[in-house]
């Protein structure tokens, strides 16, 4: 008899598992082959598709991150995004920054923290667009510290837990980071306390509703569609302003602001998206 499996986001018991998933070959988030294994579940309470983040998954993810190479196919340079009306190419980070500035009333001066900054591609795009901002990055190790700290406008590079980073910020970004982390609502509640009142939250993740093959990324803990990502962010105490793929194809760009008052004491989840559940169930 199998023990009850609990959602790592909302703690609801009884994840619906995709039976056939364990036989599928997978890939790492830095695009390397990875063997079959792991369990993927769907939470009927909060609607989040997720890996069962047991000891085997944690060990597998640690092995992946120990040899992780960001954009190794292109020498550390992120992919180019083409603007449909003009055909003009720019980096994905430049497209996200452009979308952010077009959707938010951003002050000329402020302080940004890019969580999971890797080798600094997003900071490199953000700096020239808002030269009055002080930039900061964080990562789980120091392999890219020298490169990040050499970027114009960068104050500091941090490692360690988010809550140990000193000070508060006017914007915090997670560019392809949230999907790697279990318990995303709990993480974002911590993020909220690091934001100044009215501060901006910017998240970029794969859209698994449009691109369900992202469910085969072995080191992703959470798999989002726009509805589930919006619910996670709202339940952490943010006002979600947009969550769509208008900035980058097949990805969700979410923009939110910190709400006034204390973080919500209780969580209220909307009914799970039928489309998201159907996408998950197709793997069974």
């Amino acid at each position: 008899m199998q023990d009850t499996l609990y959602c790592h986001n909302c703690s609801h018991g009884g994840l619906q598992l995709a039976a056939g998933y364990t036989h599928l070959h997978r890939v790492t988030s830095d695009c390397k082959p990875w063997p079959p294994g792991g369990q993927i579940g769907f939470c009927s309470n909060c609607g989040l598709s997720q890996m069962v983040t047991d000891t085997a998954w944690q060990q597998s993810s640690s092995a992946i991150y120990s040899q992780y190479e960001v954009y190794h196919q292109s020498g550390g340079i992120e992919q180019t995004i083409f603007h449909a009306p003009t055909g003009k190419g720019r980096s994905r980070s430049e497209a996200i920054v452009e979308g952010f500035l077009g959707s938010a009333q951003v002050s000329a001066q402020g302080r940004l923290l890019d969580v999971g900054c890797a080798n600094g591609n997003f900071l490199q795009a953000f700096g020239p667009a808002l030269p009055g901002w002080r930039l900061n990055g964080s990562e789980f190790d120091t392999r890219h510290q020298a490169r990040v700290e050499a970027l114009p406008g960068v104050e500091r590079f941090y490692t360690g837990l988010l809550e140990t980073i000193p000070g508060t910020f006017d914007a915090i970004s997670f560019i392809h980071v949230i999907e790697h982390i279990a318990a995303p609502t709990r993480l974002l509640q911590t993020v909220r306390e690091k934001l100044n009142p009215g501060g901006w939250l910017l998240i970029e993740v794969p859209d698994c509703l449009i691109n369900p093959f992202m469910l085969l990324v072995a080191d992703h803990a959470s798999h989002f569609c726009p509805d589930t990502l919006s619910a996670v962010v709202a339940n952490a105490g943010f006002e979600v302003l947009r969550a769509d793929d208008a900035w980058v194809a097949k990805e969700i760009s979410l923009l939110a602001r910190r709400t006034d008052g204390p973080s919500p004491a209780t969580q209220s989840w909307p009914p799970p998206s039928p489309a998201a559940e159907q996408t998950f169930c197709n793997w069974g």
Side-chain angles (χ1 to χ4, degrees):
M1 182 175 180
Q2 182 171 315
D3 293 337
T4 300
L5 296 174
Y6 291 89
C7 172
H8 63 61
N9 181 56
C10 71
S11 301
H12 181 73
L15 290 181
Q16 176 187 348
L17 296 180
Y21 185 86
T22 56
H23 305 295
L24 300 174
H25 287 270
R26 297 175 293 166
V27 66
T28 67
S29 55
D30 58 343
C31 303
K32 299 172 184 174
W34 199 253
Q39 298 183 89
I40 191 169
F42 179 82
C43 178
S44 60
N45 184 50
C46 70
L48 184 66
S49 297
Q50 59 197 267
M51 299 306 297
V52 176
T53 53
D54 55 13
T55 300
W57 180 85
Q58 294 170 24
Q59 292 174 343
S60 176
S61 296
S62 294
I64 292 170
Y65 299 146
S66 69
Q67 51 190 320
Y68 195 90
E69 299 177 88
V70 60
Y71 304 120
H72 63 91
Q73 306 98 322
S74 56
I77 301 172
E78 67 179 339
Q79 66 265 47
T80 298
I81 302 297
F82 293 95
H83 187 237
T86 64
K88 180 182 177 182
R90 72 265 206 228
S91 72
R92 177 173 64 187
S93 288
E94 289 172 333
I96 296 170
V97 171
E98 180 182 305
F100 174 52
L101 296 181
S103 302
Q105 295 181 342
V106 183
S107 301
Q109 295 182 329
R111 192 168 184 244
L112 167 73
L113 174 64
D114 184 32
V115 180
C117 64
N119 62 357
N121 281 309
F122 184 72
L123 294 171
Q124 188 172 13
F126 195 96
L130 286 166
W133 278 59
R134 294 170 291 155
L135 312 180
N136 297 266
S138 74
E139 261 297 346
F140 66 90
D141 64 22
T142 60
R143 73 182 78 176
H144 297 298
Q145 180 172 359
R147 185 181 191 277
V148 170
E149 290 187 333
L151 294 174
V154 170
E155 278 187 321
R156 286 285 305 275
F157 176 97
Y158 297 98
T159 58
L161 297 175
L162 178 63
E163 50 264 40
T164 66
I165 295 175
T168 56
F169 300 87
D170 300 292
I172 297 179
S173 54
F174 290 83
I175 310 302
H176 287 275
V177 173
I178 291 288
E179 64 268 31
H180 293 264
I181 299 171
T185 297
R186 187 159 59 247
L187 169 72
L188 292 174
Q189 288 171 337
T190 300
V191 170
R192 187 178 182 277
E193 300 308 310
K194 300 299 295 181
L195 274 172
N196 293 323
W200 300 100
L201 175 67
L202 180 60
I203 296 176
E204 191 80 12
V205 297
D207 187 343
C208 294
L209 198 59
I210 294 176
N211 186 10
F213 289 100
M214 294 304 298
L215 297 172
L216 291 173
V217 178
D219 50 303
H220 284 183
S222 304
H223 304 282
F224 296 103
C225 68
D227 288 347
T228 55
L229 181 60
S230 296
V232 163
V233 173
N235 275 286
F238 293 87
E239 177 190 5
V240 177
L241 304 178
R242 67 180 301 152
D244 53 47
D245 67 346
W247 301 351
V248 181
K250 297 184 179 180
E251 297 185 5
I252 306 167
S253 303
L254 182 143
L255 179 63
R257 296 196 82 171
R258 173 182 166 165
T259 57
D260 293 333
S263 182
T266 59
Q267 299 173 359
S268 176
W269 302 100
S273 164
E277 184 171 9
Q278 184 59 44
T279 298
F280 167 81
C281 290
N282 286 340
W283 291 93

